[in-house]
Amino acid sequence: MTSSSVASSAPSFRVWALGGIPEVRAGDDLAKLIAAAEPGLVDGDVLLVTSKIVSKAEGRIVEAADREAAIDAETVRVVARRGPLRIVENRQGLVMAAAGVDASNTPAGTVLLLPEDPDASARAVRDGLRDALGVDVGVVVTDTFGRPWRNGLTDVAIGAAGVRVLDDLRGGTDAHGNPLGATVVATADELAAAGDLVKGKAEGLPVAVVRGLSHVVASDDEPGARELVRSAADDMFRLGTSEAVREAVTLRRTVREFSDEPVDPGAVRRAVAAAVTAPAPHHTTPWRFVLLESAESRTRLLDAMREAWIEDLRRDGKSEESIAKRVRRGDVLRNAPYLVVPCLVMDGSHTYGDERRDTAEREMFVVAAGAGVQNFLVALAGERLGSAWVSSTMFCRPVVREVLSLPSSWDPLGAVAVGHAVGVARERAVREAEAFLTVR
């Protein structure tokens, strides 16, 4: 076999920009405009259409003296913010800069919004070309995106019709026979990027054609580009840094009912690593975290604490019925699959020999320990673990130290129940920050 015959049999495709598309105005029929440009389409071609002309044809130009207000109106959720730049989830479910609101390629005082339903827009163009030219082509509506971890912009598919947007290779094998366990190719995005190499806003070339990849053209039943949007449950990078911190703080709720699902000890250790970044006086480390990972250790501690609590309540003159009710309220710790006992240590503290200053010194350490516990609780929430910080170990510190064989200098600061929450937490009551502020 000659080298030329090998080359001719190798997979290949062509991509070119389609000229002759006039300025698009509201109400124009895009399929008719494309057909009038005599594109020479054949069955199996893929048409790549820039979203800007789709938006113009659909009348998605709106007057907006303030682009920021238009972005607000199109935003469902802020993903990340840095200065004036916002990465948001928009009404179409796309995560992108400025919600896709474009102030270029549109008259002054107006902005261009993305198509309301890009998949429906792609279907309309596909159907229109079938009627006008009698061809069966795939259609991809494209827009320009930035990407996490990568510099530069590229076109991606935001709408599609008659195209296999994903090519799922899982279950197959590579050239060496290795199983493919996670390979799903974003075919529609690859097509969009190929088209961007030949299209151009400035050159007035908003449409491109790909030929030679007929295997990606499919029936009308094929799901659209919406299939490319990763669900929130599968999105490991759903938020920017500051937004992730705020969401974790918001997610931190007191959970009193846990499932039987085991707790990942690694997640707890990662939360401890976050806890010990809290501020502390005199460059000290006033936190210690005792992890009760075995059921035996948890039961032994809680049984001893219960006996100590019952004795205290009896000394207070409580009735046996009242004692039983109070003890039951402490079952949140007993029902948790994992317990953590945070402790305060005063290593590195100063002694002044003055009651006022010595009291203040201890208070500084207590505040620092509390900051560490808060970090711990927030980090647990970030790991999608529920928690409840219960103060009970503080009322029987000698018992806790004895059962857990802790140094006498360690002061237990309650216990944290950790686990996977049962059900959905109730909505938190709104607390307006202004109610807690005093400005001088």
Side-chain angles (χ1 to χ4, degrees):
M1 183 179 291
T2 66
S3 59
S4 60
S5 63
V6 171
S8 64
S9 64
S12 64
F13 68 92
R14 288 180 56 214
V15 57
W16 69 92
L18 181 63
I21 305 295
E23 179 66 26
V24 176
R25 305 184 185 282
D28 282 347
D29 186 321
L30 275 185
K32 288 183 178 179
L33 291 181
I34 293 169
E38 299 182 357
L41 297 174
V42 300
D43 289 348
D45 285 348
V46 179
L47 204 70
L48 308 169
V49 183
T50 301
S51 64
K52 301 298 181 288
I53 65 169
V54 177
S55 295
K56 288 179 179 180
E58 295 178 357
R60 296 283 284 166
I61 299 176
V62 298
E63 292 185 5
D66 181 3
R67 180 176 178 236
E68 295 303 310
I71 295 171
D72 289 341
E74 293 297 301
T75 294
V76 172
R77 175 177 62 89
V78 175
V79 174
R81 184 192 302 267
R82 182 170 295 172
L85 176 63
R86 281 184 284 172
I87 307 298
V88 306
E89 179 184 343
N90 66 13
R91 294 179 182 277
Q92 291 81 3
L94 302 168
V95 175
M96 59 191 309
V101 176
D102 193 355
S104 62
N105 304 301
T106 184
T110 67
V111 295
L112 197 60
L113 309 182
L114 289 178
E116 193 165 357
D117 184 346
D119 284 333
S121 303
R123 287 194 297 272
V125 173
R126 173 176 160 89
D127 291 344
L129 289 173
R130 182 185 288 138
D131 292 342
L133 301 176
V135 292
D136 188 26
V137 298
V139 175
V140 176
V141 176
T142 72
D143 198 68
T144 304
F145 271 47
R147 298 150 300 152
W149 314 295
R150 306 285 287 181
N151 288 322
L153 304 173
T154 186
D155 266 21
V156 303
I158 67 168
V163 172
R164 294 188 180 91
V165 296
L166 292 171
D167 188 6
D168 192 345
L169 303 179
R170 291 173 297 182
T173 58
D174 63 17
H176 299 282
N178 300 310
L180 299 173
T183 305
V184 181
V185 178
T187 304
D189 282 347
E190 292 184 328
L191 290 166
D196 193 39
L197 294 172
V198 295
K199 290 188 297 175
K201 299 176 183 177
E203 294 81 4
L205 298 171
V207 178
V209 181
V210 173
R211 179 167 294 165
L213 299 176
S214 59
H215 63 281
V216 306
V217 177
S219 68
D220 291 332
D221 296 332
E222 197 70 22
R226 181 71 188 183
E227 193 81 357
L228 293 162
V229 178
R230 195 183 297 275
S231 69
D234 294 332
D235 189 353
M236 294 178 66
F237 311 101
R238 183 168 166 78
L239 297 167
T241 303
S242 59
E243 290 74 20
V245 171
R246 283 196 293 272
E247 178 161 292
V249 171
T250 302
L251 285 173
R252 195 224 56 78
R253 308 290 293 276
T254 296
V255 174
R256 299 189 179 279
E257 188 176 1
F258 300 96
S259 73
D260 294 332
E261 183 179 351
V263 171
D264 175 13
V268 178
R269 284 161 173 75
R270 289 191 293 272
V272 171
V276 298
T277 65
H282 314 318
H283 305 289
T284 59
T285 55
W287 327 273
R288 301 292 185 271
F289 292 84
V290 184
L291 311 183
L292 277 62
E293 295 186 337
S294 72
E296 187 274 333
S297 65
R298 294 192 296 273
T299 300
R300 188 157 47 89
L301 173 64
L302 295 176
D303 285 350
M305 287 173 54
R306 180 174 58 189
E307 293 305 315
W309 191 12
I310 289 173
E311 288 181 17
D312 283 345
L313 293 172
R314 284 173 177 161
R315 280 195 296 269
D316 291 341
K318 301 297 182 184
S319 69
E320 293 301 315
E321 181 182 1
S322 174
I323 291 172
K325 287 181 179 179
R326 290 168 184 264
V327 169
R328 280 197 297 272
R329 285 203 294 270
D331 281 348
V332 63
L333 295 179
R334 197 170 291 274
N335 295 334
Y338 199 110
L339 289 182
V340 178
V341 178
C343 296
L344 164 69
V345 297
M346 295 290 290
D347 296 351
S349 63
H350 297 171
T351 300
Y352 299 97
D354 176 291
E355 182 180 356
R356 175 180 60 82
R357 290 200 290 171
D358 286 344
T359 298
E361 180 80 359
R362 179 173 176 81
E363 287 175 346
M364 284 198 308
F365 275 73
V366 171
V367 168
V373 175
Q374 171 69 357
N375 275 12
F376 179 64
L377 299 176
V378 171
L380 288 174
E383 296 279 353
R384 294 301 190 262
L385 288 169
S387 64
W389 186 13
V390 180
S391 61
S392 52
T393 68
M394 300 173 68
F395 293 88
C396 54
R397 284 172 172 157
V399 172
V400 177
R401 284 192 286 259
E402 179 181 356
V403 172
L404 299 181
S405 301
L406 303 180
S408 60
S409 60
W410 289 24
D411 282 344
L413 295 178
V416 180
V418 182
H420 295 273
V422 171
V424 179
R426 290 180 297 178
E427 287 294 320
R428 187 192 298 274
V430 176
R431 294 174 180 170
E432 298 294 339
E434 291 296 325
F436 304 92
L437 298 178
T438 299
V439 179
R440 295 288 185 261

